[in-house]
Amino acid sequence: MPGSTSTAGRRGPIVISRHGKPALDRTAGPRLDWRQYKDWWARYEESPLAEGQVAPQALKDAVKDADLVFASGRIRAQETAARAAPHMTAENDPIFNEAPLPPPMLPRVRYLPKTWNILARAAWLNGHALDGESVVQARLRAMEAAQKLHEASEDAKVYLAAHGWFNRMMRPELKKLGWKCVRDGGDSYWSFRVYEYR
């Protein structure tokens, strides 16, 4: 546990998953202008998982003995943690929230949310933030989030349910702290990676 004086020296492992399929469908219409997409993204951030989902057995097996469970501040991540690791109550922390998707202010165009997601991520990576968190701020947050997982992993197996892009941002930070990905499950909904301390 964080702050432990144990001499065992064991850390982790750390299991990090993406959330399940959200209720809002990014592939569904109608087509939106940039302001409408900004509102859509705000609704998406507050939306739960789509109904009827259960955690894959592989994920449940991977985290059934987790000592600590974390989720982001978003409902879809919290519901994912509850379904994957029902034996534990997750600690919800916005430090693990998804990186923002501020749309570029393109006039006279309308796209599906999935297209805006791509455009917004590209714009954000190039410094566009509107009134939200910048890519520089998110990278610092990813460093702090990885450090939190690292500290929590002392004599503990840790599970985090979070988000596709922010999970990606934490990967190099975990590597700097001495963690190696030993199972790479990809980036689809409910996918997960396992990290061991080397």
Side-chain angles (χ1 to χ4, degrees):
M1 306 297 288
S4 169
T5 57
S6 169
T7 59
R10 183 178 74 89
R11 280 194 180 275
I14 297 173
V15 180
I16 300 179
S17 80
R18 188 183 180 194
H19 56 77
K21 183 179 180 181
L24 278 183
D25 184 355
R26 67 185 67 195
T27 66
R31 295 176 182 271
L32 310 172
D33 64 27
W34 74 267
R35 290 182 179 87
Q36 292 169 328
Y37 170 78
K38 184 180 178 185
D39 292 340
W40 181 93
W41 175 253
R43 293 196 307 275
Y44 177 89
E45 284 285 71
E46 299 303 322
S47 68
L49 294 180
E51 293 183 2
Q53 292 183 78
V54 294
Q57 192 61 47
L59 175 57
K60 293 172 71 174
D61 288 344
V63 301
K64 65 184 178 183
D65 57 345
D67 302 299
L68 292 170
V69 177
F70 295 101
S72 82
R74 302 305 184 192
I75 295 172
R76 62 191 186 277
Q78 294 165 13
E79 291 184 346
T80 298
R83 296 179 194 189
H87 68 290
M88 294 287 292
T89 299
E91 176 185 323
N92 304 325
D93 192 331
I95 197 172
F96 301 115
N97 284 4
E98 179 62 296
L101 280 171
M105 296 176 285
L106 301 176
R108 298 180 299 279
V109 296
R110 302 174 75 87
Y111 299 119
L112 293 174
K114 67 176 184 177
T115 303
W116 277 117
N117 283 5
I118 296 169
L119 295 172
R121 181 61 70 217
W124 181 76
L125 288 170
N126 283 282
H128 175 68
L130 285 180
D131 55 353
E133 182 183 45
S134 70
V135 64
V136 172
Q137 291 169 326
R139 285 172 179 155
L140 290 173
R141 179 163 63 89
M143 184 186 307
E144 294 170 359
Q147 184 65 38
K148 176 165 185 165
L149 294 176
H150 177 73
E151 291 175 1
S153 74
E154 187 172 341
D155 293 319
K157 180 173 182 176
V158 178
Y159 168 48
L160 166 66
H163 306 271
W165 194 268
F166 194 70
N167 288 354
R168 179 181 297 182
M169 295 183 74
M170 286 190 290
R171 283 181 224 161
E173 302 304 329
L174 288 167
K175 184 176 181 180
K176 290 175 189 175
L177 292 169
W179 294 90
K180 180 178 180 180
C181 180
V182 297
R183 183 200 185 275
D184 188 339
D187 296 304
S188 58
Y189 297 132
W190 294 107
S191 64
F192 67 97
R193 288 177 170 83
V194 178
Y195 297 85
E196 291 183 355
Y197 190 64
R198 300 295 176 89

